[in-house]
Amino acid sequence: ELKVEQNPLFLSMQEGKNYTIYCNYSTTSDRLYWYRQDPGKSLESLFVLLSNGAVKQEGRLMASLDTKARLSTLHITAAVHDLSATYFCAVDILESGGGADGLTFGKGTHLIIQP
Amino acid sequence: KAGVTQTPRYLIKTRGQQVTLSCSPISGHRSVSWYQQTPGQGLQFLFEYFSETQRNKGNFPGRFSGRQFSNSRSEMNVSTLELGDSALYLCASSLGPSQETQYFGPGTRLLVL
């Protein structure tokens, strides 16, 4: 059974600081995703990481993937209040027929960025 | 391009009743997946449909079922509702079952009393 663990689950930080959220998964995965969820809202896709060593950046967020360590990180640079949200990582495994077996999500990291 | 739409957005039911939720995917998307989100269990995969066929199903009891129509719209049904079924139900669409990104709808918040 595929398991996805995120840490920390709660994070309060000050604006301007840097921090990293970690996502570990238990078995070989074909794709890793990062999503953002604002309170009462749906999930917004941030990044899709497909291969070992993949790195993607958007604004103050950067995601990386190490498939050998089964680890992905989401790094926040010089945090601003607008980045306050819950961040989820998710992985999926392609079936032998090519279809995906549904996303397995981590518990989410509730991030609060204080002025 | 319109995003994924879900109806209704909010629903209150009582134990023992049944409920049907609807999802319209992004135009041109043929794959629809359903997820349940609760504070205790987090986000869990329910099932995925492509070309009117259920391709995968998560670890949920048979009370949870779904279907997909020829226009790719999907419905999920929960029969004999239990208090624990109270959750946010999210629908996601993608071009196909192996496509990279799933786009999520706003969700239907179900409260079972």
Side-chain angles (χ1 to χ4, degrees), chain B residues 1-69:
Chain B
K1 199 181 226 184
V4 179
T5 58
Q6 292 186 244
T7 57
R9 294 292 311 278
Y10 304 92
L11 204 49
I12 300 175
K13 292 285 187 179
T14 57
R15 279 181 298 173
Q17 287 187 310
Q18 74 163 15
V19 67
T20 299
L21 312 181
S22 180
C23 170
S24 292
I26 292 172
S27 178
H29 285 194
R30 297 172 61 198
S31 179
V32 173
S33 298
W34 289 89
Y35 294 85
Q36 181 196 64
Q37 186 176 26
T38 60
Q41 298 299 316
L43 279 151
Q44 294 183 285
F45 170 70
L46 278 158
F47 25 64
E48 180 196 9
Y49 287 88
F50 175 71
S51 293
E52 302 178 64
T53 301
Q54 186 181 92
R55 291 182 55 86
N56 291 295
K57 184 174 168 65
N59 189 24
F60 279 83
R63 301 185 295 107
F64 291 81
S65 63
R67 58 178 175 169
Q68 186 180 35
F69 302 95

Side-chain angles (χ1 to χ4, degrees), chain A residues 41-63:
Chain A
K41 299 292 181 64
S42 188
L43 296 171
E44 174 190 355
S45 177
L46 295 174
F47 302 108
V48 181
L49 303 170
L50 302 177
S51 60
N52 188 43
V55 177
K56 291 193 174 181
Q57 183 164 4
E58 181 72 34
R60 301 175 187 273
L61 300 177
M62 183 174 71

Side-chain angles (χ1 to χ4, degrees), chain A residues 19-21 23 32-35 46-66 71-77 87-89:
Chain A
Y19 209 82
T20 301
I21 299 170
C23 174
L32 189 133
Y33 305 78
W34 285 96
Y35 285 92
L46 295 174
F47 302 108
V48 181
L49 303 170
L50 302 177
S51 60
N52 188 43
V55 177
K56 291 193 174 181
Q57 183 164 4
E58 181 72 34
R60 301 175 187 273
L61 300 177
M62 183 174 71
S64 65
L65 178 62
D66 181 344
L71 170 69
S72 179
T73 61
L74 180 66
H75 187 73
I76 302 158
T77 301
Y87 293 86
F88 292 92
C89 67

